[in-house]
Amino acid sequence: MQSGKTSKLAALAKARNKAKAEKVAEAASPAAGTAVSLLDRLSKKKPDPLQTTREIPPSMVSEVPNISKLEQVVENTTPDSPKNEPVQNTPSIPGPEPDALLKASPSGFAKSMFGRRIDEAFGVEEEFTDSQLTYFSIAPTQKAAIKAKQAFDVPSPDDVVIAAQSQSKGISKTGKGEKPGSSTTASIQKGVEALKVGDTSEKPAPPKIPRKKIDVVAEYEKSKSKRKENANLVVIGHVDAGKSTLMGRLLYDCGVVDERTIQKYKQEAEKIGKSSFALAWVLDQTGEERARGVTIDIAVNAFETPRGRYTILDAPGHRDFIPNMIAGAAQADFAVLVIDSSPGEFEAGFNVRGQTKEHALLVRSMGVQRIIVAVNKLDLMHWDKERFDEIKQQMSQFLTTAGFQAKNVSFIPCSGLTGDNIARKPADGLISWYSGPTLVEELETAKPVTKAIEKPLRMTIADVYRGGVTNPVTISGRIEIGNIQVGDTIIAVPGDEKATVKGIEVDNQAADWAVAGNNVQLHLANIEMEYLKIGDVICQADSPLVPLKEFEAKILAFESLTPMMIDIHRGRLNASGRITKLVATLDKGNGSVTKKKPRHIGPGSLAVVNIAVTGAPLPLEKGSKIVLRADGLTVAAGVVE
Ligand SMILES: Nc1nc2c(ncn2[C@@H]2O[C@H](COP(=O)(O)OP(=O)(O)OP(=O)(O)O)[C@@H](O)[C@H]2O)c(=O)[nH]1
């Protein structure tokens, strides 16, 4: 948020805090207080870490990277990328909260191991370094914790020994003269056998989930005509362009939010003198729902028109918009670029430091081909045609140079605040010079990219949670490639645990199967929740993705690149890595090599680089779309070769 401006969220929080304050006294009484279990607290999601937004380097203004070449590669190298999210460990069994981790005093052995010295002459002990101390943290690792939990489900070694001893005692009292092979001897043998720890528990047989052997591709083709088109859209634009207001308006006009809720927001907003925030708060409301639990990816705002179902990826307006947007763009069918047409504002967004260009370039490099430019706040410009044309002309030029084909770019004059030309035609005579579609009509004509539904399944986990009593392990996400059906055996890469698909929900409706493009919840059997992490890629067990430790990528540089440390983002997943080699720079026109082994790669250049992952191999494969960041800046975006 910019300084000097009350943010929407801050304003909403202020209004709500007032109401909450009245309840505090009540809540403060121990009787009234509700005990929150540790498990509950652990199961709450943590907010994404804040990251700063990048400004476009001056060099990029003169040299606008053309992404079309890169895109060719993206298009030609299906399977499309599995995308998404930084790895977040899902809540595991109750354990200490991170900031409550205890540090135990190192043992004498540990001291000797870590070379702790005692300066006898001076009687001064050398301090342990932080890294040494972490060795002593009492924080069970996730796997160890699961094993510990499972270990208590079976008799302990002591229990087994005691049981065997008591049996053998019984023999000595009563078993005199018994022959080997008699029942008593057999029982001793049994007891001794039982000493093999781990073999003693009788695990219930895993439930068998029948596979209906559905020909999903054929079923999908059959059902196509009956279905509404399903598309994901990402909303981008400079700060204050009116993104939230416009999306709130869309949700309101399409009936997602009822009149009463809007009135409530209006009243709250008026009380703090910001009545225009009411529509933007609609997004915040759904954001709260997201915090409460079940979410489908980052997509929580969805609306329907007579011809389509649309999911808005991301709640715009946050400071850490870029990382969120990367996640959103990786899954978007198209982008809505919101532009503030008021005097000086379009220019501010379009200049070197503006986000208009950066956002557009990013979505393009993440594979988004279709962009709808909402020329917004035209009410403030008295619906001036000249202003609209001026913006259209400058933006068209930029977007085509950035790699969008002219046929995939459209411009809609509108006002999110008044609602003119969003879901309804503008008031009579308001835009006499315009006879084109409304924003919603334009969305309806924007066909989502055809998905590869017959290819091997790839779905990045967006969320892991308990889906109810009968569904103890549920994951959600958007199927990126392929299809899935009830009874399928899946695997969450980079892990190696298998699970069976017990149930599927597509857009919250139970279904026997789902295909690429569907936002789904998968209810799983035969797996512990702890083995599933946000950012893992779900594959069919017989065609898993092989995680990569090192790979080549064709990238578009946004900053100057040398062999350097970087963060690799694949949607929300991110991990540390290193550019180990600059392989070549490429011609942006025809993709041919212009220079082998360059010493550095300049901003705006297309290049091939070699990247090594610092930690464990990452769930990436040929065609995966990645973004490279360094020191909080987006330095490049591209595709795994
Ligand atoms: N007159 C007019 N004002 C608008 C319009 N759309 C948004 N605004 C106002 O512009 C300001 C910013 O709108 P937001 O919707 O918060 O913009 P945003 O792009 O979501 O802002 P950030 O999320 O902070 O980047 C608010 O005061 C809105 O009421 C519009 O079409 N016309």
Side-chain angles (χ1 to χ4, degrees), residues 522-537:
L522 303 179
H523 305 299
L524 302 180
N526 308 331
I527 193 163
E528 295 271 347
M529 202 159 154
E530 288 83 356
Y531 290 114
L532 300 157
K533 286 202 297 293
I534 292 174
D536 283 358
V537 179

Side-chain angles (χ1 to χ4, degrees), residues 384-612:
D384 181 10
K385 179 176 185 308
E386 267 179 36
R387 180 62 168 166
F388 176 78
D389 287 342
E390 181 192 3
I391 292 170
K392 184 175 170 181
Q393 190 262 327
Q394 288 198 41
M395 283 306 299
S396 301
Q397 205 177 356
F398 167 73
L399 291 172
T400 0
T401 342
F404 288 96
Q405 290 181 23
K407 68 174 171 67
N408 287 332
V409 181
S410 47
F411 292 85
I412 309 290
C414 60
S415 164
L417 193 65
T418 64
D420 284 301
N421 215 30
I422 303 290
R424 61 172 168 77
K425 292 277 182 202
D428 262 355
L430 198 57
I431 323 182
S432 49
W433 46 268
Y434 180 79
S435 57
T438 61
L439 181 64
V440 165
E441 285 167 348
E442 189 59 22
L443 284 175
E444 287 179 323
T445 61
K447 289 262 175 266
V449 183
T450 318
K451 304 276 184 263
I453 64 166
E454 73 295 340
K455 294 231 159 90
L457 173 76
R458 298 291 185 259
M459 180 190 114
T460 305
I461 301 181
D463 207 352
V464 185
Y465 48 90
R466 299 199 180 278
V469 184
T470 50
N471 294 312
V473 182
T474 297
I475 56 175
S476 67
R478 189 186 201 212
I479 301 179
E480 291 136 28
I481 309 174
N483 64 73
I484 192 166
Q485 60 181 287
V486 173
D488 275 354
T489 306
I490 53 150
I491 183 169
V493 177
D496 54 4
E497 294 290 323
K498 288 182 183 159
T500 315
V501 180
K502 191 174 142 210
I504 299 176
E505 285 182 44
V506 179
D507 294 325
N508 297 321
Q509 305 280 324
D512 287 333
W513 53 269
V515 296
N518 288 151
N519 292 315
V520 297
Q521 294 176 63
L522 303 179
H523 305 299
L524 302 180
N526 308 331
I527 193 163
E528 295 271 347
M529 202 159 154
E530 288 83 356
Y531 290 114
L532 300 157
K533 286 202 297 293
I534 292 174
D536 283 358
V537 179
I538 297 294
C539 310
Q540 306 280 7
D542 57 7
S543 51
L545 175 160
V546 180
L548 299 176
K549 182 79 182 151
E550 192 163 357
F551 56 90
E552 269 191 6
K554 185 173 276 192
I555 49 128
L556 175 74
F558 293 163
E559 300 282 342
S560 192
L561 301 180
T562 54
M564 61 199 264
M565 299 302 293
I566 37 135
D567 280 335
I568 307 159
H569 289 249
R570 182 183 145 274
R572 284 195 159 188
L573 173 93
N574 80 70
S576 308
R578 204 155 40 87
I579 297 181
T580 50
K581 248 186 269 166
L582 308 181
V583 180
T585 49
L586 308 177
D587 183 284
K588 280 191 272 175
N590 58 24
S592 62
V593 174
T594 50
K595 186 165 189 188
K596 282 190 180 165
K597 296 187 188 167
R599 287 163 69 94
H600 86 284
I601 294 166
S605 306
L606 192 62
V608 176
V609 294
N610 196 285
I611 296 171

Side-chain angles (χ1 to χ4, degrees), residues 311 402 571:
T311 309

Side-chain angles (χ1 to χ4, degrees), residues 1 5 8 237-246 276-277 280 316-318 355 376-380 414-418:
M1 299 291 154
K5 171 197 152 195
K8 295 180 296 296
H238 190 58
V239 63
D240 272 353
K243 302 179 288 289
S244 307
T245 307
L246 191 141
S276 66
F277 279 4
H318 294 271
Q355 289 167 313
N376 195 32
K377 301 198 190 179
L378 266 177
D379 56 309
L380 292 177
C414 60
S415 164
L417 193 65
T418 64

Side-chain angles (χ1 to χ4, degrees), residues 343-357:
E345 293 303 323
F346 161 64
E347 289 73 14
F350 196 62
N351 75 15
V352 195
R353 295 172 190 280
Q355 289 167 313
T356 307
K357 283 183 173 175

